[in-house]
Amino acid sequence: MSWVILVLAGLLEVVWAVGLKYSEGFSKLWPTAGTVLATVLSVWLLGVAMKTLPIGTAYGVWVGIGAVGTAISGIYLFGESASMGRIMSLVLIMTGIVSLKLTTDV
């Protein structure tokens, strides 16, 4: 169950990162409120997952999911570059996330 919680925390990290863009520097009320809520929930779920997962694994997976998800969101939502170099970098991050999962005994 800790892994499911951790994945949810990582997905919420994507939500708050994208929300930062939509909040336009916290100048728009509803995007700002959603961003703050997603941030609090994401960090809380990360803390819950860390009750049973090693800190390095949990934090690395959380950051990795957030980084990859946010980069993919940037490509689809904001027309950011989808160059081969960027895609390969995201594949390397995902490989690291999977490797952390596979080498953790929990």
Side-chain angles (χ1 to χ4, degrees):
M1 191 63 175
S2 295
W3 286 102
V4 172
I5 291 169
L6 183 59
V7 168
L8 289 173
L11 293 174
L12 282 167
E13 185 183 4
V14 175
V15 171
W16 69 254
V18 172
L20 286 173
K21 181 79 168 170
Y22 284 113
S23 76
E24 295 183 11
F26 300 111
S27 65
K28 292 188 171 187
L29 177 63
W30 294 115
T32 296
T35 299
V36 170
L37 178 62
T39 303
V40 169
L41 288 173
S42 178
V43 173
W44 177 71
L45 289 172
L46 174 62
V48 170
M50 282 185 179
K51 287 181 179 180
T52 56
L53 295 174
I55 186 173
T57 298
Y59 186 74
V61 170
W62 181 70
V63 168
I65 291 169
V68 170
T70 302
I72 291 170
S73 296
I75 291 167
Y76 285 104
L77 296 173
F78 306 110
E80 295 176 0
S81 170
S83 68
M84 185 58 70
R86 266 188 106 190
I87 299 302
M88 290 308 300
S89 297
L90 295 174
V91 168
L92 288 171
I93 294 169
M94 289 186 295
T95 302
I97 293 168
V98 171
S99 295
L100 281 172
K101 166 63 173 115
L102 294 175
T103 58
T104 301
D105 294 334
V106 179

